[in-house]
Amino acid sequence: MIRSDKHRWSFSSQVLVFTIFVTVCLMANLKYFNLRSHYMDFGLFISQINALVHQNPLDNSGHLQPIIYLFVAIQSLFGLAALPYIMVTIQSALLIFPAYAVQKHYGFLPTFVYLLYFPLWFLALNEFHLEFFLVAASVGFFIAWESRKFWHCLPFLLLMCLTKEIYIL
């Protein structure tokens, strides 16, 4: 799609995106609060982050995920008890807020479709995966590419590469 300057960012669109963000954020945080879901990947991430805080920070076993050091800094600032809630909130924000860029460049209908996309909700509500950075980075990359701002594509590519080593390939 070619960007059109006639797409206005209306107040109702802002309210829609913010309402969906609050809904997803509350649902994900309440799910964690009620179930204490430390099984599967979420528990592995919390365990790995806690090990990086209390042991050698350069001893990163498993996948090479440099972006995980962002969460190491968050745990150092806020503690282990608040870490899961902050992680889920950041995940929800980075999955929902690219809708602002979609609205600005493509209009209301693609934004609405983006916000109703089932895999987006599934990723936001089930467990925790660092792949949520890829959603925001992909949206930013493709918008920069279509706008012919090729140098603006590089930070999004770097974010994709810092998410996990398999995305470098």
Side-chain angles (χ1 to χ4, degrees):
M1 292 182 118
I2 304 298
R3 179 182 173 191
S4 174
D5 291 330
K6 66 181 178 179
H7 297 301
R8 292 180 304 161
W9 186 237
S10 67
F11 181 72
S12 61
S13 299
Q14 291 177 355
V15 169
L16 174 70
V17 172
F18 187 73
T19 303
I20 290 179
F21 164 69
V22 169
T23 303
V24 168
C25 189
L26 282 174
M27 289 172 68
N29 276 299
L30 289 174
K31 179 183 176 190
Y32 171 75
F33 180 75
N34 287 329
L35 299 178
R36 297 286 181 193
S37 55
H38 277 90
Y39 62 96
M40 305 292 278
D41 291 338
F42 200 20
L44 293 174
F45 278 114
I46 291 173
S47 175
Q48 184 180 11
I49 291 167
N50 197 32
L52 289 172
V53 167
H54 296 294
Q55 296 171 1
N56 183 6
L58 298 177
D59 183 26
N60 191 1
S61 60
H63 289 288
L64 177 63
Q65 302 168 328
I67 203 79
I68 204 164
Y69 290 103
L70 169 72
F71 297 106
V72 170
I74 289 171
Q75 182 184 342
S76 298
L77 290 173
F78 297 105
L80 184 59
L83 180 66
Y85 300 106
I86 295 171
M87 289 170 70
V88 168
T89 303
I90 290 172
Q91 176 175 310
S92 299
L94 285 178
L95 287 172
I96 300 300
F97 286 149
Y100 285 117
V102 173
Q103 165 64 30
K104 181 180 176 186
H105 290 274
Y106 304 116
F108 180 75
L109 185 61
T111 304
F112 189 66
V113 170
Y114 173 82
L115 290 173
L116 292 180
Y117 188 52
F118 177 74
L120 188 81
W121 284 78
F122 186 82
L123 185 59
L125 298 177
N126 291 312
E127 287 291 322
F128 177 85
H129 298 278
L130 287 176
E131 283 79 5
F132 71 88
F133 281 107
L134 296 176
V135 175
S138 298
V139 169
F141 173 80
F142 287 118
I143 287 175
W145 186 268
E146 272 195 353
S147 300
R148 304 274 188 219
K149 298 178 180 175
F150 299 117
W151 288 104
H152 294 156
C153 295
L154 292 178
F156 298 113
L157 288 174
L158 182 63
L159 180 62
M160 289 181 200
C161 292
L162 291 177
T163 301
K164 197 182 277 188
E165 85 278 357
I166 60 172
Y167 301 118
I168 295 173
L169 304 175

